[in-house]
Amino acid sequence: MFVYLTLAAQYESFVLPFIVLLAVPVALLGAIGAQYLRGLQNDVYCQIGLVMLIGLSSKNAILIVEFAEQLRAQGKSIADAAVEAAKIRLRPILMTSFAFILGVVPLVLATGAGKAGRISVGTTVFGGMIAATTLNLLFIPLLYVTVRGIVPGSSRLRAGQPSVAPHS
C-alpha cells in the first residue's frame, strides 16, 4: 500500500502505479522458475532475492512509464509515447539489468563454505532479472497503452499548465 501511494503521488494518478506494480509478478515468476529448474527451495536466501527483485523490476517499469508520460505531455499519442519510451529507455535498462545479471553469476556458480545460500540468492535474482528484463520490455508498454486507453487522464506535465487548478 505504501509503495502504491508513493507511486500515486509521483505520477499524480491512481491508475499508473498499477502498471509498475504489475511488473513485479513477472520477475517473481522468473525467480521461482529458476529456483524450481535448479531444484532449490524457497528458503530465506530466496526470499531476500525476491525482495531485491521487487525493487529492480519496478525500476525498469518506472523508467518506461515516467518517460511515456513525459512524451504524452509533449503531445504524442498513447501508443507512440509507449513505443518511443521503450525504445529510448531500452539501452539504459539493458545496461543496468545485464550488469546486475552478470554480477550475480559468481553467486549462481558459488562453491565452498556457505555455497547453498549464495546459490539460492544468486539463482533467484538471476532468473528473476532475466524474466523481468525480457518480458517487461514488451509487457510494460503494452500495459501502458491498455491502461491509458481505458483511463486516458490528463498528463500532469503539460507545459504551462499547473497540475492543480488554481483557486479564483
Side-chain angles (χ1 to χ4, degrees), residues 25-31 101 125-137:
V26 174
L28 299 181
L29 287 175
I101 290 167
V125 175
F126 185 85
M129 279 305 292
I130 287 178
T133 302
T134 55
L135 297 176
N136 280 344
L137 284 172

Side-chain angles (χ1 to χ4, degrees), residues 85-120:
K87 283 181 184 176
I88 291 172
R89 301 311 300 170
L90 175 67
R91 186 169 157 233
I93 288 172
L94 288 179
M95 287 172 46
T96 57
S97 295
F98 285 132
F100 190 81
I101 290 167
L102 292 174
V104 298
V105 168
L107 293 174
V108 174
L109 304 173
T111 60
K115 75 177 184 177
R118 289 190 299 244
I119 289 172
S120 183

